[in-house]
Amino acid sequence: MSIVAAFATVCVPTFASAEISGSIELGYSVASDNVNADNVTSPSIDTTLGYGNLTGIQLELDVSTMRANGLNTNRNSHSAAVDLGYAFDNGVTAGVFVEDINVARSPTTFIAYSTAGAFVGYESDTYDVEAYFGQIDGLANQDGNHFGVRGAYSLSENTKISAEFARMNLALFDQKYLGLAVSHNLTDTFGVFGAYQKYDWATFLDVEAVSLGVSYAFANGSLASLEVARVEEGPRETQVLSLGYSIPLGETDKSTARVTGFASSVADGRRGGAGKIANDYWPINR
């Protein structure tokens, strides 16, 4: 956070020439599986705020919270991430990031870890790619590192493909993550999207998630979404229905407003598979 404070001191004089962007995403999901016979409801809110000025400095803050409620489930998930980067004139972007995640079920904690690292990427009019590396500090000596690559490609003005591969190396186990997502605007108002995600745990069962959804853009620029997903973990199969409402902030392009759910974790999510499990999978399924 000291990095962010120093950044703010430098950039205050140029705030007038800055561009502010982001969104407020309200979500609500209902999940049921064939093992616990329990319906788990999960209201959530995710707020992102981006800042960029003419010098190329970029700052993004992402804060989210989720609460899962069911007969056998009472969990809270909180996370925050800060990215500080610099965009060069030739399309290269480089910077650092920090992230903190906590998923708790009273009186014990399932996941709690912090990560800090660096990233470098390249952006053009049709595609962007990025590679990142971070060090992890977790509970119960779960320290280690994670690295990955991700990117997005616009097949046309209305169709976009996103992908990410990540690996986590911890003291007790390794984990690999693969995510693929696609979105398509049928009209100026309606859109469709889908995603496939796989978590490969060295000492646990593999987890696969498939999701499909539709979105509707209102005249005021906000976006509503409906997504259905199926999560498979060995004999456990979970069905998830997610509703989302996204309110763009500042200079955010209304056509690229984020939607809430599994697909957005591939296209717009945090770096690395650990954060995606903590924010998307664990709160509603464990």
Side-chain angles (χ1 to χ4, degrees), residues 17 28 45 62 66 217 237 270:
S17 61
Y28 186 85
I45 181 170
D62 190 344
M66 175 189 289
E237 184 176 298
R270 307 284 176 79

Side-chain angles (χ1 to χ4, degrees), residues 61-75:
L61 172 66
D62 190 344
V63 179
S64 63
T65 183
M66 175 189 289
R67 181 177 179 85
N69 305 287
L71 293 176
N72 306 307
T73 301
N74 185 3
R75 299 181 182 89

Side-chain angles (χ1 to χ4, degrees), residues 126 224 258:
T126 58
R258 304 201 319 176

Side-chain angles (χ1 to χ4, degrees), residues 1-20 49-61 82-87 93-98 119:
M1 297 304 293
S2 60
I3 297 176
V4 179
F7 169 79
T9 302
V10 173
C11 291
V12 166
T14 60
F15 186 81
S17 61
E19 179 180 283
I20 305 297
L49 188 62
Y51 167 89
N53 63 25
L54 297 179
T55 66
I57 296 177
Q58 299 177 339
L59 173 68
E60 181 173 306
L61 172 66
V82 179
D83 295 1
L84 176 61
Y86 185 85
T93 301
V96 295
F97 64 92
V98 294
F119 63 90

